[in-house]
Amino acid sequence: MSAGVPDKDVHISLEDQQKINKFARHNQRMEELKDELKSKQNEIQTLVDATNDVEEFSLTAEEEDKIPFQIGEIFIMETADEVQTLIQKRKEEAEEEVKQIESRVEQVKGVMSDLKTHLYAKFGDAINLEAED
């Protein structure tokens, strides 16, 4: 064996293994939150599009014309103004959910950053904690 080659066997204590596992769980949670965030953002865009469609409908429709609006698994018939109000309410709820998800993402990022700092300080190049995109 050559004397200049460092030993690649790194001792991993139980505490270190638990930190690695915690990082992996948080990394998985981060991916789930990103998917959830993307889904909510798509929902908001759909609601914006629906608002535009209802506005167009209300310009050409009679005052008493009604639009089907889905609540759960059923559709109810409502006026354009009422549908606008219902869509706006759903949009505000989705935007609030986006804020909550973003807050959870920041919390998870903070924990992951602390774990990365500790694990890289101990293991250096012997460990890879970067996402493979």
Side-chain angles (χ1 to χ4, degrees), residues 20-57:
I20 292 168
N21 293 345
K22 184 176 181 180
F23 182 87
R25 285 190 307 273
H26 278 76
N27 192 44
Q28 180 62 37
R29 181 67 181 138
M30 178 69 79
E31 293 303 314
E32 291 168 0
L33 288 171
K34 285 180 182 178
D35 290 343
E36 193 176 336
L37 186 60
K38 187 174 182 175
S39 173
K40 286 294 171 191
Q41 289 169 335
N42 288 341
E43 180 181 338
I44 290 171
Q45 184 58 48
T46 300
L47 292 169
V48 168
D49 293 345
T51 299
N52 294 337
D53 291 344
V54 171
E55 285 176 1
E56 287 179 26
F57 175 81

Side-chain angles (χ1 to χ4, degrees), residues 110-121:
V111 171
M112 288 175 67
S113 178
D114 291 345
L115 290 168
K116 263 188 186 181
T117 301
H118 172 78
L119 292 169
Y120 275 132

Side-chain angles (χ1 to χ4, degrees), residues 59-72:
L59 292 175
T60 59
E62 299 293 324
E63 186 69 32
E64 66 277 352
D65 286 347
K66 297 196 176 207
I67 302 172
F69 184 80
Q70 185 174 6
I71 298 180

